[in-house]
Amino acid sequence: MDRLKNKVAIITGGSMGIGFASAKLFIKEGAKVVITARNSATGEKAAKELGPNARFVQQDVSQENDWKHVIDTTLKTFGKLNIVVNNAGVGIFADAENITDDIWDKTISINLTGTMYGIHYGINAMKDNHESNSIINVSSIEGLIGDPDLFAYNASKGGVRMMTKSAALDTARKGYNIRVNSVHPGYIMTPLVEKQMADDPKLKDKLLGLHPVGRLGKAEEIANMLLFLASDESSFSTGSEFVADGGYTAQ
């Protein structure tokens, strides 16, 4: 249980869903983890459950000063940083005809701008540590294919995909030991998706029908992929897309 021995990670949106499952797995494999979330009560509860190798820092990923605080706290608490998982995100159904400024601005600021800050500040915190480092950006299958009801979400997750490639090329040409990859999950049974299905009773059958394996994914299944990318096992992978979608995009 030491695939991440002596590594320190930041996981945004780490209080539930994919982020929490990943934090739990990272700690099991030897890492120390800082989880962030907007809700302090939920975040503190999650950190307590994760144990002594976890810390919670309240964060709105769309705010630059919050990123500076998270990075500074991580370095002061654990002495270094090796892994950034840009996982925090929001998905709001709205098509191109009915998009509003509020939906657009919220989606882009959290999903795209938040990831940009995570990449930028992650690189600057890790580039001189003389260790193997990894930035993992949680995009989506919606960063690969279009959905008529997810106009802003498609834009944000497609942006994450291409931003990942640019950052990977940048760190490679500068000789930094920092890999940058994106992960593209299908629909996963997270609290966000569960709430959407509760709000729309027809949504569950629709989503199940989109995945050839006949079910939605589990947060732990995505966490396993993040673990591989966080570990030195993926040392030759950078600028790449890793898909876990139950066959959704194979159709």
Side-chain angles (χ1 to χ4, degrees), residues 41-55:
T42 304
E44 293 288 1
K45 180 181 178 181
K48 185 176 181 180
E49 185 176 341
L50 290 168
N53 288 323
R55 297 288 187 278

Side-chain angles (χ1 to χ4, degrees), residues 62-100:
S62 69
Q63 299 301 307
E64 184 175 14
N65 284 337
D66 281 14
W67 267 107
K68 292 178 181 178
H69 176 60
V70 170
I71 296 289
D72 288 346
T73 301
T74 301
L75 296 177
K76 288 176 183 176
T77 304
F78 294 125
K80 62 176 182 175
L81 176 64
N82 304 109
I83 302 158
V84 175
V85 178
N86 288 303
N87 170 69
V90 62
I92 305 170
F93 287 102
D95 59 26
E97 181 182 4
N98 296 297
I99 193 70
T100 65

Side-chain angles (χ1 to χ4, degrees), residues 53-248:
N53 288 323
R55 297 288 187 278
F56 168 71
V57 181
Q58 193 278 335
Q59 180 190 32
D60 177 347
V61 295
S62 69
Q63 299 301 307
E64 184 175 14
N65 284 337
D66 281 14
W67 267 107
K68 292 178 181 178
H69 176 60
V70 170
I71 296 289
D72 288 346
T73 301
T74 301
L75 296 177
K76 288 176 183 176
T77 304
F78 294 125
K80 62 176 182 175
L81 176 64
N82 304 109
I83 302 158
V84 175
V85 178
N86 288 303
N87 170 69
V90 62
I92 305 170
F93 287 102
D95 59 26
E97 181 182 4
N98 296 297
I99 193 70
T100 65
D101 286 350
D102 286 345
I103 292 174
W104 178 265
D105 291 344
K106 182 177 182 179
T107 303
I108 297 300
S109 67
I110 295 173
N111 294 0
L112 192 58
T113 304
T115 300
M116 177 273 291
Y117 283 135
I119 295 170
H120 170 71
Y121 284 105
I123 290 172
N124 279 281
M126 296 187 289
K127 64 182 181 180
D128 296 321
N129 67 10
H130 306 293
E131 298 185 21
S132 176
N133 307 285
S134 177
I135 296 174
I136 308 163
N137 301 320
V138 180
S139 180
S140 167
I141 53 171
E142 308 297 352
L144 302 171
I145 61 173
D147 186 312
D149 295 315
L150 288 169
F151 182 65
Y153 191 74
N154 272 147
S156 68
K157 293 301 188 178
V160 168
R161 171 177 172 262
M162 293 309 300
M163 198 160 55
T164 296
K165 295 182 184 299
S166 178
L169 294 172
D170 181 42
T171 56
R173 72 176 176 178
K174 292 174 179 174
Y176 299 157
N177 196 353
I178 305 172
R179 293 169 289 107
V180 190
N181 293 286
S182 59
V183 173
H184 300 259
Y187 282 90
I188 309 300
M189 282 296 283
T190 64
L192 176 63
V193 173
E194 289 174 354
K195 181 181 184 304
Q196 290 173 335
M197 291 193 298
D199 293 341
D200 181 0
K202 296 180 180 179
L203 183 60
K204 182 176 182 179
D205 288 339
K206 177 185 176 182
L207 295 183
L208 289 175
L210 294 172
H211 300 78
V213 298
R215 66 174 177 85
L216 302 190
K218 302 174 184 177
E220 292 76 13
E221 292 174 310
I222 307 304
N224 286 331
M225 183 170 284
L226 298 185
L227 172 61
F228 167 69
L229 292 172
S231 76
D232 294 343
E233 296 163 16
S234 57
S235 56
F236 198 54
S237 297
T238 194
S240 297
E241 303 156 9
F242 291 79
V243 180
D245 67 354
Y248 188 120

